[in-house]
Amino acid sequence: MGDSRGRVLAVLRRYCGYDSFRPGQADLVDAILSGRDVLGVMPTGAGKSVCYQVPAVILPGLTIVVSPLVSLMRDQVDALNDSGIAAAFVNGTQDAAAQSLVLDRASAGSLRMLYVAPERLETPRFREFASCHDISMVAVDEAHCISQWGQDFRSAYLGIADFLSCLSRRPVVAAFTATATERVRRDIIGLLRLDDPMVTVTGFDRPNLFFDVIPASAKAKKEWMARYIGNHPGESGIVYCSTRRQTEDVAAMLIHRGIGAVAYHAGMDAGERERAQRRFITDEVDVAVATNAFGMGIDKSNVRYVIHHNLPESLEAYYQEAGRAGRDGEPGRCTLLWNESDIVTRRRLLESSEDNDRLSPESRERVAASRRRLLDSMVGYCRTTQCLHRYIRRYFDDGDPHVEGADRKCGMCVNCTSTRMTTDVTGIAVAISRCVHDLGQRYGMGRIADVLRGSKARDVIDRGWDSLPSYGALSEVSSAKIREVGYQMASEGLLAISSGRLPVVGFGPQAVRTVDPAFHLEMSRLERRHAAGSAAASSGGGASSGDVDEGLVERLRALRRSLAAEASLPPYMVFSDRTLRDMAHIRPVTDSQFLAVSGVGETKLARYGPRFMRLIRDYGTGHRTEVGGGDR
Ligand code: ADP
């Protein structure tokens, strides 16, 4: 065993450039190599690909990787080849001749890995190829696509088990996914017909990510984004919006302020999308402003921040998107901008979504109920005052036995780095309750605020509301404040807000509390220590940041960009941001020093080592004095 362990680590080192496995990886690799099926459930960025790449190098035959992400295949294959692993893909973007060429190479034994979309497995040509070829492993990426309970069901995934059974020898099957509830997990195991698989679920926490939640009006959101992005030039970021229109508006707003940005959404034609994606991946522009169509096909490891301009439909969706920040392990910042009307919009969308025509009324209701629950967890995330890392961890329930003391501050989320100021809003709450009563639980928050503030508006007077007991009771309080307290009352069950197109405010299940003489309500507000923004980048949550020469990092980055252009690769594939920082820290000038940099294997050493070492040598002798440090 010791020996094979050494072999495995040597492969990890040589082809991936890493000294050690991350949590979960070693167990999965060992199981695969011993011939056992596996299911790896790991969050985005945890390093699923290493789990099948390392065995693919070691196993005698070919590894087939099934992935739904055709747009990613070229990049993945380029990156593998750049690391010295012979890989190729067959998919519909190639003509028949090109496809045959790839299969010929595979037949000749000159490929280690072959990427295909699930539909390919059903074609006679591919079946014929596979049945007479030595296939050691089939790795199924995004395995949750097999389940109708997940969000991305792909019926072609159901054909994988069939494909496996037509092979002369059954290969080991390794399934991977980032999102799997218990139910989806059972589907994956059952429908792929995994044979007594080893199931590994690794922690869902991402300690290098700083989580921030900011309540903001639509206008404040734009201002915040423009300021934050403007303060982080040269860093890659993604802004998620919920509609195509918004992505275009936000991108235009950023461009107007001189920030390089592209919009990306499913309404663009394939060519435009491809171009937008390229410009982002090659670091030509800093920011991609996208709907959730973007991301399934993106694998950029140096995304430093993800901003949500709207509320996602579930914490799963949020975490998957936000998790695209900091995949290289360097600090990343995930900011959720939200307001009450986002919640109303989301609820409305839920009620009106009718993509389940084929389901029976009962199943439809079940799906709707489950969607409501998913949304509630997202809303809970916006409102919670506890540590956000902890909230996420508990939600995904990673079974971490080292549950820390509830009071320890994580230092990596807004709730643990800001102080709260609480104000007593009992009087306002009681007045709102009275007004809801006076209006017979038939109107929305806006009308309630009008009455309480003693509005002289025509329709208020015409309806005779100026003679209601609660009229003018809060004439000194702003309408925004009244709404804010009202929404908090709703979240505590004191009020209930209907989810129709014109939400009506009524009493909630806890409403009687407001007439109890001991009733007391406080509202807490975060006092931000910094102008929201710079905390994560400068707090150095990631391991290798800290005292490196930023001027040198800049130079390394520029060199990376030109080498990437020469090799027609995205820059982060040449080396990750983390590797560049480690390089700036170690300042290698010999081969063995260069190999000690995290993320450098032998192929990369041979390919890029000399140019980087020359730069480092020159920098050391000539440029020590002009350390820029730039924007930080
Ligand atoms: P996933 O597919 O789980 O989202 P990836 O396989 O793309 O994640 O890996 C995310 C990042 O982590 C990549 O930049 C990868 O090179 C890096 N990585 C993976 N395994 C390791 C490791 N053992 N040590 C250091 N970095 C790693």
Side-chain angles (χ1 to χ4, degrees), residues 12 18 20-22 25 43-50 299 301 327-328:
L12 179 70
Y18 302 128
S20 55
F21 282 112
R22 286 196 181 153
Q25 289 178 331
T44 308
K48 285 181 281 293
S49 10
V50 164
D299 197 10
S301 72
R327 289 176 70 161
D328 51 11

Side-chain angles (χ1 to χ4, degrees), residues 357-401:
D357 289 349
R358 285 185 303 180
L359 298 180
S360 67
E362 305 87 74
S363 340
R364 207 175 309 162
E365 178 44 36
R366 219 180 36 233
V367 170
S370 115
R371 291 202 173 147
R372 276 194 291 269
R373 259 198 315 278
L374 291 173
L375 179 58
D376 287 343
S377 68
M378 190 68 245
V379 173
Y381 178 84
C382 295
R383 298 197 203 276
T384 185
T385 55
Q386 63 162 300
C387 169
L388 295 174
H389 276 273
R390 193 173 130 91
Y391 184 94
I392 291 168
R393 220 163 37 227
R394 299 227 306 221
Y395 181 74
F396 292 109
D397 187 27
D398 65 4
D400 181 0

Side-chain angles (χ1 to χ4, degrees), residues 519-593:
F519 173 69
H520 182 75
L521 187 70
E522 279 186 349
M523 205 158 66
S524 71
R525 208 176 238 301
L526 284 178
E527 296 272 278
R528 288 172 178 274
R529 262 188 228 148
H530 309 276
S534 56
S538 55
S539 71
S544 64
S545 48
D547 69 3
V548 297
D549 181 338
E550 295 296 335
L552 176 55
V553 175
E554 273 320 304
R555 297 295 175 87
L556 296 173
R557 212 181 289 223
L559 175 58
R560 172 176 72 174
R561 193 154 10 173
S562 50
L563 289 173
E566 284 168 28
S568 302
L569 283 175
Y572 68 88
M573 267 187 206
V574 170
F575 285 129
S576 69
D577 280 12
R578 173 172 224 148
T579 298
L580 293 191
R581 296 193 82 82
D582 204 32
M583 205 181 287
H585 178 68
I586 296 180
R587 297 185 174 222
V589 289
T590 66
D591 283 6
S592 62
Q593 287 169 350

Side-chain angles (χ1 to χ4, degrees), residues 296-446:
M296 277 295 268
I298 183 124
D299 197 10
K300 194 176 194 309
S301 72
N302 65 337
V303 173
R304 296 272 66 87
Y305 57 87
V306 172
I307 297 170
H308 277 78
H309 176 264
N310 297 90
L311 192 73
E313 65 197 11
S314 66
L315 196 61
E316 277 90 343
Y318 177 68
Y319 200 49
Q320 178 129 36
E321 288 159 9
R324 301 211 160 94
R327 289 176 70 161
D328 51 11
E330 288 289 304
R333 189 180 189 96
C334 311
T335 307
L336 173 61
L337 304 171
W338 72 286
N339 57 48
E340 297 294 339
S341 79
D342 290 343
I343 299 178
V344 174
T345 310
R346 270 288 168 211
R347 292 211 196 281
R348 199 180 300 156
L349 285 174
L350 266 187
E351 302 312 321
S352 65
S353 67
E354 52 204 323
D355 49 355
N356 291 313
D357 289 349
R358 285 185 303 180
L359 298 180
S360 67
E362 305 87 74
S363 340
R364 207 175 309 162
E365 178 44 36
R366 219 180 36 233
V367 170
S370 115
R371 291 202 173 147
R372 276 194 291 269
R373 259 198 315 278
L374 291 173
L375 179 58
D376 287 343
S377 68
M378 190 68 245
V379 173
Y381 178 84
C382 295
R383 298 197 203 276
T384 185
T385 55
Q386 63 162 300
C387 169
L388 295 174
H389 276 273
R390 193 173 130 91
Y391 184 94
I392 291 168
R393 220 163 37 227
R394 299 227 306 221
Y395 181 74
F396 292 109
D397 187 27
D398 65 4
D400 181 0
H402 317 286
V403 181
E404 326 148 310
D407 297 315
R408 227 186 81 207
K409 302 263 182 225
C410 78
M412 287 301 280
C413 79
V414 68
N415 289 345
C416 290
T417 52
S418 313
T419 46
R420 284 187 171 270
M421 202 182 68
T422 49
T423 37
D424 187 332
V425 292
T426 311
I428 299 177
V430 169
I432 293 175
S433 277
R434 291 216 179 104
C435 188
V436 169
H437 170 79
D438 289 350
L439 290 174
Q441 309 190 58
R442 295 208 325 261
Y443 294 91
M445 207 60 94

